[in-house]
Amino acid sequence: MIKKYDIVKVNLDPKKGYTQAGIRPAIVVQSNVFNKYSPTIIVVPLTTNLKEPFPSEFIIKKSKINGLKSDSRALAYQIITLDKRYILDKYGVLDEEYRFMLDEALKLVLEL
């Protein structure tokens, strides 16, 4: 089962407007109860473009735990719900040190 904070490979095609597209890593942000029973999943896409992050973004360094091939920028403002069939594989799990940053970025974007 895919779990919250897993980093998965997703297919975000077709691209529309300013949204991320293509096959890329994304962080699962949906609760494990929904991950178990829902046919959809909520993720935050990542990009290897490491430009200065907005307040709702942060940089994740590649590691053996997260399985990323490159340092990446989490784009919390581009949170998206996908059918689970868009998940192609699992890279790893978000390192503990980044989980607070992710939660704070989502709070900012969603005004929680």
Side-chain angles (χ1 to χ4, degrees):
M1 178 180 92
I2 298 295
K3 295 183 179 176
K4 185 173 182 181
Y5 300 120
D6 281 351
I7 298 182
V8 293
K9 181 190 287 188
V10 295
N11 184 351
L12 297 182
D13 283 334
K15 179 181 172 63
K16 298 261 185 186
Y18 292 100
T19 61
Q20 294 298 301
I23 296 173
R24 65 181 54 247
I27 307 165
V28 176
V29 296
Q30 180 170 273
S31 81
N32 287 330
V33 172
F34 287 95
N35 290 337
K36 184 173 181 179
Y37 296 106
S38 176
T40 60
I41 197 150
I42 303 171
V43 300
V44 167
L46 304 180
T47 181
T48 55
N49 179 336
L50 299 179
K51 71 175 190 165
E52 185 67 31
F54 292 130
S56 62
E57 302 173 346
F58 59 95
I59 304 298
I60 301 169
K61 300 287 186 185
K62 68 180 180 177
S63 73
K64 290 180 181 178
I65 294 169
N66 63 41
L68 294 171
K69 294 174 178 44
S70 302
D71 294 349
S72 299
R73 185 165 45 107
L75 306 172
Y77 70 96
Q78 292 212 14
I79 186 172
I80 186 169
T81 301
L82 300 171
D83 186 293
K84 286 182 178 173
R85 291 176 287 189
Y86 283 87
I87 297 173
L88 306 175
D89 202 359
K90 178 179 168 181
Y91 289 104
V93 179
L94 186 65
D95 309 77
E96 289 280 341
E97 65 191 273
Y98 298 113
R99 294 180 185 189
F100 178 77
M101 288 187 235
L102 175 63
D103 293 344
E104 290 301 305
L106 290 170
K107 285 179 189 176
L108 179 64
V109 169
L110 300 172
E111 291 189 333
L112 298 175

